[in-house]
Amino acid sequence: MKKQIKEVVGNYIVEPTPNAVAKGVSLCDSHPREIWRLRRHAFKLAYWPTGPNGDFGEPDIDYYDLKALRAHRISALRIDEKINGFNNVRVIFFRSNTPIYGEPLPRIWLLDTFQKKSRRYTPHQQKALLAVKKLICIRHYNGDQNA
Amino acid sequence: MTEYRYQNHHLFKLYRCIMSGPALPEVPTLDTISTRQYLHAYQECSDEVRELVQELFELISDPECDEEAKHTAESTLVEALFPGVTADLMDNDRTLMSLAETAPEYQELVAEEEAFRTSVKEIMDARGLTQGDLAELIGCSQPAVSNVLNRPCRPQMRTVKKFAVALGVEPIELWAEWQS
């Protein structure tokens, strides 16, 4: 993180949660090359556009909102490259609007990462993802769930 | 529950492997933490965190909860109750990432990405194509092409394919490890 702040790129600071780190490492079976492959895709989210019309002009960030969690700004990044041999890897992220005090940019928080096996996100998955976001807001945004 | 320990075991194995530093502390899991530790941690929590912990417990104990959600809920529960442990974990993770530039595996990935950008630019130069021309062929905006060609990012494989189709070459000419 210190490094990212020092060399600010893009529009957001991308920060993984411990859950995302642990799940990512597990998915990659601890192979450094695969972990970095996954990271280099996920950290592209730093270039998430901030324009008023949300115009991407960007063919490379392939994402969708989780319908039931759209109001919470929780979305999924599709990764179109095999990660440790797995297809359909998703990185779930929460896009904050407010920079943390002292930081130049708002953060995109990586909540989770996994191989998507079914079409729908179960209500339990959605609750668990929302809980990760809630904890972030409690710890970093004084409990403001609209941060 | 064992899964969480398993995940962290992998993380630590990775740290040890790459950093070859001193032995790292064990991370508590829902299995290894005593009731007393739990109660103590819970008592120390703010009301907001307690409410969240209760939600997570309900989720984990729901027999209909799927494994993916359970893993996420369990690691978030540990994070909520024992923030110091996960803070150490994240510090180690940042240290690991700061070593990326010297790691050969990382450099190989960066080289793949650079080779893609160089190949596209060479083909464009050879054919006298501008970024605007290529954007038109792909069906996106010129800034989008510029972003792909100038940002130090890893392209999606479908992006590689789009560029290859637009340039009339095989994807493997742009991406050496291409797998159809």
Side-chain angles (χ1 to χ4, degrees):
Chain A
M1 181 51 54
K2 282 173 190 165
K3 188 180 169 74
Q4 272 198 22
I5 291 171
K6 198 172 155 192
E7 300 165 18
V8 174
V9 292
N11 303 316
Y12 286 87
I13 294 165
V14 180
E15 176 76 356
T17 57
N19 178 60
V21 169
K23 297 277 282 286
V25 169
S26 179
L27 182 78
C28 297
D29 202 21
S30 297
H31 295 308
R33 186 185 166 93
E34 297 307 309
I35 292 170
W36 280 312
R37 192 194 300 275
L38 177 60
R39 288 214 175 217
R40 286 192 67 76
H41 279 292
F43 278 71
K44 204 158 44 182
L45 287 169
Y47 294 103
W48 186 279
T50 52
N53 55 5
D55 174 24
F56 265 78
E58 172 62 77
D60 209 47
I61 297 180
D62 184 11
Y63 83 103
Y64 56 93
D65 292 328
L66 271 64
K67 211 172 171 183
L69 301 177
R70 188 174 289 154
H72 298 278
R73 278 168 277 129
I74 295 177
S75 311
L77 177 73
R78 288 189 192 95
I79 296 183
D80 184 27
E81 184 175 12
K82 280 186 179 176
I83 305 291
N84 196 28
F86 295 114
N87 281 322
N88 293 326
V89 172
R90 301 283 188 274
V91 175
I92 311 296
F93 61 95
F94 154 56
R95 196 163 33 86
S96 71
N97 283 329
T98 321
I100 290 174
Y101 181 75
E103 292 188 352
L105 300 170
R107 289 186 181 191
I108 282 184
W109 294 88
L110 309 182
L111 306 182
D112 207 347
T113 183
F114 48 81
Q115 185 194 25
K116 188 153 170 30
K117 292 173 184 167
S118 58
R119 284 190 64 182
R120 291 190 159 203
Y121 291 89
T122 65
H124 293 95
Q125 267 182 304
Q126 291 173 14
K127 275 186 193 171
L129 292 169
L130 193 53
V132 186
K133 185 221 162 181
K134 277 184 185 172
L135 187 59
I136 288 167
C137 292
I138 291 169
R139 290 268 160 79
H140 300 276
Y141 300 97
N142 294 321
D144 179 5
Q145 296 296 327
N146 296 314
Chain B
M1 222 56 67
T2 45
E3 187 64 21
Y4 184 77
R5 186 194 287 148
Y6 174 76
Q7 287 160 6
N8 282 293
H9 170 71
H10 274 278
L11 193 58
F12 287 135
K13 203 169 78 179
L14 177 77
Y15 290 143
R16 287 191 179 119
C17 172
I18 293 176
M19 297 170 70
S20 53
L24 290 151
E26 284 296 321
V27 168
T29 69
L30 296 186
D31 279 344
T32 60
I33 301 165
S34 71
T35 311
R36 186 182 294 178
Q37 282 175 302
Y38 265 119
L39 286 173
H40 185 257
Y42 187 76
Q43 278 177 334
E44 295 285 307
C45 290
S46 66
D47 290 345
E48 280 173 308
V49 175
R50 281 185 192 182
E51 197 180 315
L52 185 65
V53 165
Q54 283 166 14
E55 279 177 33
L56 289 163
F57 265 125
E58 279 170 27
L59 195 57
I60 292 164
S61 53
D62 184 341
E64 290 183 10
C65 183
D66 53 285
E67 284 302 300
E68 197 65 62
K70 205 170 264 189
H71 296 160
T72 303
E74 284 169 1
S75 60
T76 307
L77 183 60
V78 172
E79 190 189 344
L81 288 170
F82 303 97
V85 169
T86 45
D88 288 348
L89 202 68
M90 296 310 285
D91 279 348
N92 288 334
D93 185 61
R94 282 173 202 130
T95 306
L96 177 69
M97 289 307 124
S98 71
L99 299 175
E101 284 165 20
T102 56
E105 296 92 344
Y106 184 86
Q107 292 306 323
E108 282 168 22
L109 293 174
V110 172
E112 276 177 2
E113 296 158 18
E114 281 174 2
F116 164 70
R117 291 189 285 270
T118 304
S119 300
V120 172
K121 284 174 187 171
E122 281 174 358
I123 295 170
M124 286 171 69
D125 286 347
R127 298 185 189 172
L129 289 172
T130 64
Q131 288 184 359
D133 297 332
L134 184 55
E136 204 168 306
L137 289 167
I138 293 169
C140 66
S141 64
Q142 178 274 325
V145 170
S146 172
N147 290 343
V148 172
L149 294 181
N150 294 308
R151 285 176 177 169
C153 289
R154 189 162 187 83
Q156 300 266 39
M157 290 305 102
R158 66 188 188 101
T159 301
V160 173
K161 192 172 181 182
K162 276 184 188 174
F163 275 64
V165 169
L167 293 169
V169 298
E170 290 298 320
I172 201 159
E173 292 179 49
L174 304 181
W175 195 264
E177 283 192 14
W178 179 261
Q179 294 174 334
S180 52

